[in-house]
Amino acid sequence: MVPKSGTRVPKLRFELSDVELAALIASALQHELGGSRRASKTIMAWTHVTDHTARAWLNGRKSPSSLHLLALAAHSRSVMNVVLRVTGNQRAEIDLDLKALEDELENALAAVRTLRAGEAAASNNPQV
């Protein structure tokens, strides 16, 4: 008989099956990429998987392996948000969304400044 060492295996924190994860990932990918042939080609480029595997992820038939999930999350904000939500890190999801909003506002401000600079140059150089 083997004596008990007292070491306990921690319980899994996530009450999520592979089927449920596959459905969440599929929904995120479809939301971001759509369900077209182009979507599967994009996934293939991101993760270096076959068309068959990319379509299985898009249709929720399979969930990606850990390394493929990381590659998807690195390229897809929707997949990253799913990973953060599933792991209980909604705060990080909000931070990512705020960062994206800041980036968009900075791009818009730069565009406005460019337009204003063009208008100023045009008004200083009137053509007769």
Side-chain angles (χ1 to χ4, degrees):
M1 178 174 253
V2 179
K4 289 187 178 182
S5 65
T7 304
R8 291 189 157 184
V9 178
K11 287 187 176 182
L12 187 62
R13 261 182 50 191
F14 316 114
E15 298 294 326
L16 187 68
S17 70
D18 282 338
V19 172
E20 292 168 324
L21 178 61
L24 290 171
I25 297 298
S27 176
L29 289 170
Q30 288 174 6
H31 176 263
E32 190 161 330
L33 302 173
S36 68
R37 176 94 171 112
R38 177 179 224 109
S40 66
K41 288 197 173 282
T42 300
I43 293 169
M44 290 168 59
W46 288 348
T47 59
H48 306 289
V49 297
T50 64
D51 182 56
H52 178 77
T53 301
R55 287 177 182 265
W57 294 344
L58 267 172
N59 295 320
R61 290 190 311 265
K62 288 178 62 178
S63 62
S65 68
S66 56
L67 291 177
H68 289 128
L69 181 59
L70 291 174
L72 289 172
H75 289 93
S76 166
R77 170 165 273 120
S78 296
V79 173
M80 178 61 86
N81 286 341
V82 166
V83 170
L84 291 172
R85 225 174 310 125
V86 166
T87 58
N89 292 296
Q90 288 88 352
R91 178 68 187 155
E93 180 182 353
I94 292 168
D95 289 343
L96 282 177
D97 290 342
L98 288 175
K99 174 66 174 128
L101 181 60
E102 285 176 351
D103 292 344
E104 289 177 24
L105 287 172
E106 286 176 7
N107 289 340
L109 184 57
V112 167
R113 287 181 177 151
T114 301
L115 288 173
R116 290 181 108 191
E119 289 175 2
S123 66
N124 288 339
N125 214 1
Q127 294 180 354
V128 178

